[in-house]
């Protein structure tokens, strides 16, 4: 297959990328840099208290950012079909790890939830890394939905369901519902009949209700969300502190590094409630600018999705946007008290390796989708037109990218190969 | 979603296809070869062709749709449909009932037509479960996703605006509550000490015990049983309070530190001890009228505690710290490290020192109590003033109350009669009129007057006390007039004044004004208006012997003070000032300059005349062997309702000046409504007791015999 050949242009030819791809790449970099700066402010005090080193989290985050940027670039230079082909296998592996966590003693337990698996001494959250895999997996299945056999459709549905249930059992309602909502939006974009989509939404809602009714800590969170001031020292504590932090910011904010709530009142201020620190330090203006950045990111991503000719590429772009932007909105919604308090990280802001890697992979997929959407020559030219460029600019693709595309082997759907 | 298979009439089924099916969004939009093009595109193509055929052939203005460019789709990225293996059968089509063939001629009956129409419409509207395998990707769907995401962004922006602009102030205030720890240190109210340094009032830490039954972890009955012996309440009583509410029930006030620590050692949830200051008055009711009392919030409610609230309540600036949720106090910017300890430790030790003497006061109270018992009087007051400065040595009322238990006291007793209530001074006022007459040279000290015992003034007959039982004394000297308290003689003296002149004198003595004492709720004395006074000869006559106007007991003492200090009207006061720990004055209240009324010669003459009152006149009961004492008694009738003098209701009073050889102290005892008796009989004996103590305490040397 020789897909590794595309890695050769790892550092070259970015100027030849499509405009959308370059814009997305810069927006991602901006988002990452901003996120790291906010993490520096948000985590310094608690890191200093916990480890005697204020930069403890920032240094580690920097390593993850480095790995993430490399991954992002790798993904952006390798054709999507390569990743698409690998997605079902990766999902299967992830499912094994995910369900393996549920065996007592395998996972790494924090606060009563088994969400991490220790790789060496580094805790990795498989549910985070599952997110980009689900995007690819779903894009491939839904991109050729009407040509799949029934059992292939059931295979996709089943793997998604098993993944969601596995996350739900950790328990991690927030990630499960994020994945559920995002996949639902991807399905919406894929054009599945609305009847089924609404049915699924209803079923998902019921599932959430059942999950909440079974776990009292989730019930308490819901009650605390409805009126946090009723119990400001107990269940409403996190939300109340977050609201006070955001409110303290006012219009212009207290200034970078000058949040008072982050000092100790606001809990987990460097992960789930990092937005509250940001909003206190940069005020309404800063918050709206960040929302603007996220909206522009989503806008460009969806523009890519609209523009592309390939349903699969469109779904990859939509899925990446939905996961990155949707998760950001959910996080901000939680911090501002618009949604029940759940533990969702803010992409590129919150401290956490798995989250950073997942976000970078999603950004890489979106960038790649942007490149492929701009390429007028599809990855699977039917006729011998592959070498002819059809009169369009090549947009930075080397012939090696598309050389083999005409072959019969590659033109056979990836679905046939990797769906049982 | 669902497409009917048949299109018999292209016009009829126009909604069944759209041009976007031919568009680039369709992944399998390859239409170049009819055999391997997609079914749907093929159908659409057929429809389009049918549409084209339906158009008039000759109409050259009609442009045929450029079908050709749609036929080849260069944007395909999927293999064409015919690559599906032959063993895979495409999913079966759902068979739909075909709509009935439309009859070319519709029934003439409109009802029939309507029936036909409704059946067709119903068929068309019948909802069918869509094929779960069908898929119709379109850009609209992506836009729907975008709308959801941007809608969410918009909602969040509004939420942020609400939080950071509309609710910002409220949230900031709440955040401050968490971030800042305000400590109001226990700063006791200043102590009050008497002239000799005896503590009269001090602050002590006390605790109020609250119960919050909603937080009880044990049965209320058990808690009540445990608590009852500690707080000295019965179990039933506690249970009754517990039943009153869920939270914030006050069980006991002013628990001592000892009791509080015993309550704490019970380790019971739902009990709360709130620390507060509690004012303690070690001398109990001794100085109550002067000191007043403080409420539970340490706010003065009467007496000095009220009048000097600002002075006594030490300002304790609340200390503000930034703190974390774990309670750790954080260093706050802008405050040096050395500031806060200073702020914490600085506390001055100034005391409020009074001019009162608690030993003399005790003697006065004892004397008053005896008199009250003996004569079943309604109330009584005793005042001792150092006339040289106006410093009050005694200010005692009976009955009084215990400021430690002010809540049990009779509210009427909170009124300090000596400064708040008016009475007619009667004969005790006579020496002042004599002094005024001497001072303005209206009379000579040696002059004599005719006293027939009664005198007709306008429409009233003014009589001496006891007339006609005691007949008129005939020719009397000025001294005799004072000694025998001759009303007629006083009228004769007052007639020497021009009316306006006499009124001026009354005003200069302070009638109509307040004494200016540093106690709250003082009442101004009352006197006839100038116009009325000038019109009425009766008023002029009665005023000469202390009737027809009213003063407070304290103001009478103030006026008599002029005779004791050589003619100056001083301001009576009880506060000496704020004293440091080593008894150095730190602050003293402002006092106005005394005004001179009489010359020293005049006052010496009047004091000598008053001496004869004690020596051989109405106040023999006040004689103290070895001491020269000047005095004057008064027995005035009380005015009841309607301005008529009440029979039997008298005010007995005695005002003494000692030592007469070198006058300094004014001692006044006024008894309200004694059962029988007169000023000399009722008020002089307690005054004598007070003066004896005063002599002993102030070490006044005995006088040489006159």
């Amino acid at each position: 297959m020789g897909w590794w050949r595309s890695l050769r242009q790892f550092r070259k030819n970015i100027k030849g990328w499509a405009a959308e791809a370059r814009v997305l790449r810069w927006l991602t970099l901006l988002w990452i840099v901003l996120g790291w700066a906010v993490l520096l402010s948000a985590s310094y005090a608690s890191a200093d208290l916990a480890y005697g080193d204020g930069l403890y989290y920032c240094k580690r985050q920097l390593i993850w950012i480095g790995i993430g940027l490399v991954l992002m670039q790798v993904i952006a230079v390798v054709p999507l079909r390569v990743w698409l082909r690998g997605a079902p296998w990766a999902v299967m592996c992830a499912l094994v790890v995910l369900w393996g966590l549920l065996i007592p003693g395998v996972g790494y337990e924090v606060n009563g939830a088994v969400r991490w698996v220790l790789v060496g001494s580094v805790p990795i959250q498989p549910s985070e890394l599952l997110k980009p895999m689900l995007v690819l997996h779903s894009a491939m299945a839904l991109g050729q939905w009407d040509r799949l056999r029934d059992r292939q459709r059931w295979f996709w549905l089943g793997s998604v369901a098993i993944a969601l249930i596995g996350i739900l059992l950790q328990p991690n309602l927030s990630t499960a519902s994020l994945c559920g909502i995002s996949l639902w939006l991807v399905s919406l974009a894929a054009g599945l009949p609305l009847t089924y989509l609404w049915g699924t939404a209803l079923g998902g809602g019921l599932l959430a209700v059942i999950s909440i009714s079974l776990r009292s800590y989730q019930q308490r969170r819901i009650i605390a969300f409805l009126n946090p001031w009723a119990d400001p020292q107990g269940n409403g504590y996190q939300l109340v502190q977050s609201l006070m932090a955001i409110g303290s910011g006012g219009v212009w904010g207290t200034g970078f590094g000058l949040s008072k709530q982050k000092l100790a009142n606001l809990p987990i201020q460097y992960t789930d409630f990092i937005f509250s620190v940001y909003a206190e330090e940069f005020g309404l203006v800063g918050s709206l600018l960040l929302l603007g950045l996220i909206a522009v990111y989503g806008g460009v991503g969806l523009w890519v999705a609209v523009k592309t000719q390939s349903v699969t590429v469109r779904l990859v772009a939509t899925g990446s946007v939905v996961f990155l932007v949707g998760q950001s909105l959910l996080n901000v919604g939680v911090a501002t008290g618009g949604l029940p308090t759940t533990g969702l990280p803010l992409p590129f802001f919150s401290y956490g390796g798995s989250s950073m890697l997942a976000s970078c992979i999603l950004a890489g997929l979106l960038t790649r989708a942007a490149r492929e959407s701009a390429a007028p020559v599809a990855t699977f030219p039917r006729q011998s037109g592959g070498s002819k460029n059809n009169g369009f600019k090549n947009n930075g693709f080397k012939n090696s990218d598309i050389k083999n595309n005409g072959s019969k082997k590659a033109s056979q759907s990836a679905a046939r190969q990797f769906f049982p | 979603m669902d497409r009917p298979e048949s299109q018999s009439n292209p016009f009829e089924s126009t909604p069944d296809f759209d041009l976007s099916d031919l568009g680039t969004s369709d992944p399998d939009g390859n239409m170049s070869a009819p055999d391997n093009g997609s079914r749907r595109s093929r159908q659409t193509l057929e429809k389009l062709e049918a549409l084209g055929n339906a158009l008039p052939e000759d109409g050259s203005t009609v442009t045929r749709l450029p079908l050709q460019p749609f036929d080849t789709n260069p944007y395909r990225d999927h293999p064409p449909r015919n690559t599906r293996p032959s063993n895979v059968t495409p999913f079966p089509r759902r068979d739909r009932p075909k709509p009935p063939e439309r009859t070319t001629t519709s029934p003439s009956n409109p009802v029939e037509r309507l029936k036909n129409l409704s059946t067709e419409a119903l068929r068309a509207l019948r909802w069918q479960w869509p094929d779960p395998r069908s898929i119709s990707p379109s850009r609209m769907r992506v836009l729907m996703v975008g709308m959801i995401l941007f809608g969410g962004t918009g909602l969040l922006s509004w939420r942020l605006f609400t939080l950071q602009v509309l609710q910002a102030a409220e949230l900031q205030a709440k955040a401050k509550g968490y971030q800042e720890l305000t400590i109001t240190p226990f700063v006791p109210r200043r102590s009050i000490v008497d002239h000799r340094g005896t503590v009269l009032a001090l602050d002590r830490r006390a605790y109020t015990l609250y119960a919050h039954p909603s937080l009880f972890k044990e049965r209320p009955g058990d808690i009540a049983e445990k608590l009852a012996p500690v707080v000295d309440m019965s179990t039933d009583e506690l249970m009754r309070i517990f039943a009153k509410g869920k939270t914030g029930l006050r069980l006991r006030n002013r628990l001592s530190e000892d009791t509080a620590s015993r309550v704490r050692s019970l380790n019971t949830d739902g009990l709360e001890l709130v620390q507060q200051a509690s004012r303690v008055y070690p001398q109990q009711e001794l100085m109550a009228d002067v000191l007043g009392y403080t409420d539970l919030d340490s706010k003065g409610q009467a007496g000095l505690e009220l009048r000097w609230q600002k002075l006594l309540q030490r300002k304790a600036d609340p200390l503000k710290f930034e703190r974390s949720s774990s309670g750790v106090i954080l260093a706050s910017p802008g405050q040096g490290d050395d500031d806060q300890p200073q702020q914490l430790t600085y506390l001055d030790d100034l005391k409020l020192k009074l001019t009162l003497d608690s030993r003399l006061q005790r003697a006065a109270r004892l004397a008053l109590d005896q008199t009250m018992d003996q004569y079943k009087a309604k109330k009584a007051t005793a005042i001792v003033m150092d006339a040289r400065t106006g410093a009050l040595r005694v200010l005692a009322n009976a009955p009084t109350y215990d400021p430690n238990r002010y809540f049990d006291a009779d509210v009427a007793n909170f009124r300090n009669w000596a400064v708040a209530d008016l009475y007619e001074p009667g004969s005790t006022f006579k020496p002042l009129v004599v002094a005024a007459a001497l001072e303005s040279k209206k009379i000579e000290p040696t002059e004599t007057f005719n006293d027939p015992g009664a005198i007709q003034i306008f429409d009233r007959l003014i009589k001496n006390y006891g007339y006609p039982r005691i007949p008129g004394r005939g020719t009397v000297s000025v001294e005799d007039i004072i000694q025998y308290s001759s009303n007629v003689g006083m009228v004769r003296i007052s007639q020497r004044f021009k009316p306006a002149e006499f009124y001026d004198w009354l005003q200069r003595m302070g009638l109509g004004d307040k004494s200016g004492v540093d106690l709250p709720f003082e009442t101004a004395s009352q006197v006839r208006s100038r116009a009325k006074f000038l019109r009425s000869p009766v008023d002029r006559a009665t005023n000469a012997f202390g009737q027809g106007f009213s003063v407070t007991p304290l103001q009478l003492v103030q006026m008599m003070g002029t005779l004791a200090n050589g003619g100056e009207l001083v301001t009576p006061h009880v506060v000496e000032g704020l004293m440091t720990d080593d008894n150095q004055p730190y602050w003293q209240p402002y006092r106005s300059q005394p005004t001179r009324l009489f010359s020293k010669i005049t006052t010496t003459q009047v004091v000598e005349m008053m001496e004869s009152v004690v020596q051989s006149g109405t106040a023999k009961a006040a004689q103290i062997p070895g001491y020269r004492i000047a005095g004057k008694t008064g027995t005035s009738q009380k005015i009841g309702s309607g301005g008529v003098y009440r029979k039997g209701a008298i005010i007995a009073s005695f005002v003494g000046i000692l030592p007469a050889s070198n006058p300094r102290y004014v001692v006044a005892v006024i008894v309200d409504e004694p059962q029988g008796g007169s000023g000399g009989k009722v008020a002089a004996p307690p005054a004598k007791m007070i003066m004896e103590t005063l002599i002993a305490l102030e070490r006044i040397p005995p006088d040489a015999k006159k």
Side-chain angles (χ1 to χ4, degrees), chain A residues 142-147 149-150 153 185 187-197 229 232-233 237 241 243-244 246-251 260-261 263-265 275 279 283-284 287-288 291 295 299 302 305-312 314 318 321-322 325-326 329 332-333 336-338 376 378-380 382 390 392 411, chain B residues 1 24-28 30 32 36 40 72 74-81 83-85 87-88 91 127 129-139 141-150 152-153 156-165 167-172 174-176 178-180 322-326 330:
Chain A
L142 294 168
Q144 48 192 345
W145 189 247
D146 55 351
R147 275 173 287 141
R149 295 176 212 172
D150 275 352
R153 296 194 183 96
L185 287 172
S187 311
L188 178 69
L192 285 183
L194 284 173
T195 319
Y196 296 98
L197 287 173
W229 299 101
Q233 289 298 336
Y237 182 76
Q241 295 295 340
L243 290 180
M244 290 192 301
I246 294 169
S248 297
V251 176
K260 281 183 179 170
Q261 283 290 93
L263 289 176
N265 287 312
F275 178 78
L284 179 67
S287 309
L288 292 184
L291 282 186
L302 290 178
V306 168
K307 207 179 142 193
T308 186
Q309 316 299 336
S310 155
V311 176
T312 309
R314 175 186 303 158
T318 312
V321 166
V322 159
V325 174
L329 298 182
V332 175
T336 51
T379 41
F380 301 102
R382 189 171 57 89
N390 285 9
F392 288 93
S411 67
Chain B
M1 269 322 118
T24 50
S25 71
D26 198 316
D28 27 307
N30 183 2
S32 62
N36 56 1
R40 225 166 46 212
T72 51
Y75 306 119
R76 249 184 353 92
D77 59 346
H78 285 278
R81 180 159 293 276
T83 54
R84 189 189 293 275
N87 60 343
V88 179
F91 53 80
W127 185 81
W129 196 258
D131 193 318
R133 290 159 293 194
S134 71
I135 195 161
S136 56
S138 68
R139 297 197 161 96
R141 289 295 189 88
V142 177
L143 291 180
M144 275 167 79
V145 172
M147 271 152 62
I148 290 172
L149 292 182
F150 291 130
T153 315
L156 286 181
S157 303
W158 172 248
R159 176 81 184 141
L160 281 167
F161 176 75
T162 318
L163 286 177
Q164 298 193 296
V165 177
Q167 298 177 10
E170 184 194 341
L171 289 169
Q172 272 163 20
K174 278 178 175 161
K176 275 223 153 50
Y178 277 90
Q179 291 160 2
E180 286 184 355
E322 305 223 330
R323 65 160 182 190
S324 69
S325 59
S326 48
L330 304 165

Side-chain angles (χ1 to χ4, degrees), chain A residues 26 45 85 87 93 115 124 130-131 135 140 163 170 176 191 205 252 270 294 299 319 348 362 372 374 405-406:
Chain A
W26 279 114
R85 219 179 302 160
C93 295
R115 298 175 188 174
I124 295 286
L130 191 62
K131 290 193 277 192
V135 169
M140 194 165 69
Q170 284 180 346
W252 296 103
Y270 53 90
I294 293 171
F348 300 121
L362 286 167
E372 293 196 9
N405 293 345

Side-chain angles (χ1 to χ4, degrees), chain B residues 6-47:
Chain B
S6 67
Q7 317 85 25
S8 55
N9 188 343
F11 290 105
E12 210 179 280
S13 56
T14 30
D16 286 338
F17 73 96
D18 55 276
L19 285 173
S20 71
D21 277 345
L22 293 170
T24 50
S25 71
D26 198 316
D28 27 307
N30 183 2
M31 282 165 274
S32 62
D35 52 335
N36 56 1
S38 83
R39 170 183 51 82
R40 225 166 46 212
S41 308
R42 207 163 53 235
Q43 288 164 1
T44 312
L45 203 62
E46 282 166 15
K47 283 181 219 161

Side-chain angles (χ1 to χ4, degrees), chain A residues 100-414:
Chain A
L101 281 182
L102 298 175
I103 304 166
V106 173
Y108 176 60
E109 189 173 330
V110 175
N111 296 335
V114 194
R115 298 175 188 174
W116 287 268
V117 61
L118 281 177
V119 179
S121 62
V122 185
I124 295 286
Q125 211 173 342
S127 55
E128 285 289 327
L129 296 175
L130 191 62
K131 290 193 277 192
M133 297 175 196
L134 283 175
V135 169
L136 288 171
H137 189 44
S138 307
M140 194 165 69
L142 294 168
Q144 48 192 345
W145 189 247
D146 55 351
R147 275 173 287 141
L148 294 184
R149 295 176 212 172
D150 275 352
R151 66 155 189 238
Q152 292 171 325
R153 296 194 183 96
W154 283 116
F155 169 73
W156 175 76
L157 262 179
S159 55
V160 166
I162 288 167
L164 291 188
I165 292 169
I167 299 171
L168 211 54
L169 288 178
Q170 284 180 346
N172 191 348
L173 177 66
S174 48
T175 307
S177 44
L178 169 74
C179 289
I181 293 169
S182 302
L183 290 179
W184 189 84
L185 287 172
V186 171
S187 311
L188 178 69
L192 285 183
L194 284 173
T195 319
Y196 296 98
L197 287 173
W198 289 124
T200 316
L202 205 69
L206 274 176
L207 204 65
V209 168
I210 290 167
S211 168
I212 287 164
S213 64
L214 289 180
R215 298 182 196 282
S216 58
Y217 89 95
Q218 286 172 347
Q219 282 169 25
R220 284 199 300 272
R221 279 187 179 184
I222 297 286
I223 293 165
F225 149 71
L226 292 174
N227 184 9
W229 299 101
D231 187 11
Q233 289 298 336
N235 291 313
Y237 182 76
Q238 295 184 340
L239 183 51
V240 159
Q241 295 295 340
S242 170
L243 290 180
M244 290 192 301
I246 294 169
S248 297
V251 176
W252 296 103
T254 56
F256 181 62
L258 295 178
S259 160
K260 281 183 179 170
Q261 283 290 93
K262 76 180 179 191
L263 289 176
N265 287 312
L266 187 65
I268 44 176
Q269 67 282 65
Y270 53 90
T271 56
D272 295 352
F273 284 103
I274 195 167
F275 178 78
S276 313
V277 176
Y278 174 82
E280 186 180 354
E281 293 185 354
F282 295 95
L284 179 67
V285 174
S287 309
L288 292 184
L289 281 176
L290 179 63
L291 282 186
L293 169 69
I294 293 171
V296 166
Y297 195 90
V300 174
L302 290 178
W303 168 244
V304 166
V306 168
K307 207 179 142 193
T308 186
Q309 316 299 336
S310 155
V311 176
T312 309
V313 173
R314 175 186 303 158
L315 293 184
V316 168
T318 312
S320 308
V321 166
V322 159
F323 265 100
L324 283 176
V325 174
Q327 186 175 341
S328 305
L329 298 182
L330 289 181
N331 178 282
V332 175
V334 167
T336 51
L339 294 169
T341 308
T342 55
L344 268 186
L346 183 59
F348 300 121
F349 270 62
S350 295
Y351 173 72
S354 311
S355 165
M356 178 55 77
L357 288 190
S359 304
C360 284
I361 293 171
L362 286 167
L365 288 174
L366 183 56
T367 318
R368 180 68 206 182
R371 290 186 65 196
E372 293 196 9
S373 79
V377 182
T379 41
F380 301 102
R382 189 171 57 89
Q383 291 150 348
S384 58
S387 54
K388 279 203 286 180
N389 285 354
N390 285 9
F392 288 93
K393 193 186 161 200
N394 208 349
N395 273 329
F397 283 88
K398 268 198 166 178
N399 274 349
S400 63
D401 261 7
I402 45 182
K403 199 161 65 182
N404 295 328
N405 293 345
S407 78
K408 189 77 180 168
K409 191 181 165 196
S411 67
Q412 290 203 333
S413 169

